[in-house]
Amino acid sequence: MDTISHPLLDKASEQFADPGSVHERIRAIDDVVLFKVKVQRWRGAVWTDDPDAEVPTWMVAAGTREDGSNDDFYTALESSGKAARARYNAEHDNALATGTYSGHLLPTRDDHDRYRLEAATRFALRLNSTIRDLARGSLHDGHEHAADFSGFRLGVQVRADHGNETYAAIRITGSVPANLVAMILGRVPGCEADGWFPEYALPERDLLPAEQVWSNIMDPKAAAELLEEF
C-alpha cells in the first residue's frame, strides 16, 4: 500500500507525521474520535491509535467533497454512522448512547496482519536495493559502504583487483537472528549461497564488538553488471 501515490494519502502522511500536531475532529461522529484530512476535492477520516502502537495512524474512510449533496463525504459518513448505530442497537441488548457507530471502520486483526505482511515485503525490497547500492559504491572505490536499518547496521565491501578474484565482505553490526543473516547473504549479487565463510577481520581493520563479517567470491560478470547500472 505504501507504493500507492494519491493526494489524500500523501496529505495524511504529511499531516500526521508529527504526533504532537493539532488536528480537526469530525464532530458528526461521536462514538470514536476521527480527524479530517482535506486536499483538493478529496476528504478523509483518520483514526489514531496509541502513539506507541505498531501502527499509530489509520485512514479509515475516504471520499470526495460534494457541497450540498448527500454524496458529500462527511455527510455520507454521518449518515452511515447513524445507520450503523441503528443496526447495532437492533442486534444488541445494550443500546449505544452515542449518535453514531463507527466500529466497523476501525482496523481489525486482518488489517494488522496485512500491515505486517507488507512491512516484511517493504523490508525485503529495501534490503535488495540497499545491498546493490552499497556493493556498487564499494566496487567503485574498494572501501566499505554502509547503511543503517532498524536494529542493525549493514556494511558491504567489494574489491575487484585486476587479475584476481572479486572479494566480497558483508558486515553486520547489532544483534540479528540467524535467519536475517541468511536473508542478507542470499541477496548479495554474484555470490554462491553456500560460499560464505565467517571472518575475524575486515581488509582494512579488525572487528569491533557486536560485529560479524562474512566473505565470499563474487562472480565478475555480476560485478560488471552492478557497475553498469544507472
Side-chain angles (χ1 to χ4, degrees), residues 138-139 142 157-169 189-192 195 197 199 203 215-224:
S138 185
L139 276 166
Q157 184 167 9
V158 183
R159 287 189 168 186
D161 296 327
H162 294 295
N164 296 315
E165 294 178 314
T166 302
Y167 166 88
C191 293
E192 295 291 339
F197 293 95
E199 294 282 4
S215 68
N216 204 338
I217 299 302
M218 179 179 287
D219 182 346
K221 291 183 179 179

Side-chain angles (χ1 to χ4, degrees), residues 44-164:
V46 168
W47 176 77
T48 57
D49 200 349
D50 186 283
D52 296 327
E54 183 178 19
V55 186
T57 304
W58 296 82
M59 180 174 290
V60 298
T64 56
R65 175 185 178 183
E66 303 288 348
D67 281 346
S69 169
N70 289 333
D71 293 330
D72 177 74
F73 171 67
Y74 291 121
T75 300
L77 184 67
E78 179 182 5
S79 297
S80 65
K82 290 179 177 178
R85 172 190 178 275
R87 290 193 299 270
Y88 183 96
N89 286 347
E91 297 169 359
H92 297 80
D93 293 334
N94 296 324
L96 295 173
T98 57
T100 59
Y101 176 67
S102 309
H104 59 291
L105 297 177
L106 303 186
T108 64
R109 180 183 295 275
D110 287 343
D111 294 309
H112 286 277
D113 288 345
R114 174 64 180 266
Y115 172 83
R116 294 187 184 99
L117 178 63
E118 292 193 356
T121 301
R122 287 193 298 271
F123 175 75
L125 291 174
R126 184 193 170 200
L127 197 58
N128 288 343
S129 62
T130 300
I131 288 174
R132 296 187 74 86
D133 289 343
L134 297 179
R136 186 184 310 107
S138 185
L139 276 166
H140 279 292
D141 60 24
H143 298 295
E144 181 186 7
H145 288 237
D148 290 315
F149 287 79
S150 178
F152 70 98
R153 183 170 175 81
L154 175 64
V156 178
Q157 184 167 9
V158 183
R159 287 189 168 186
D161 296 327
H162 294 295
N164 296 315

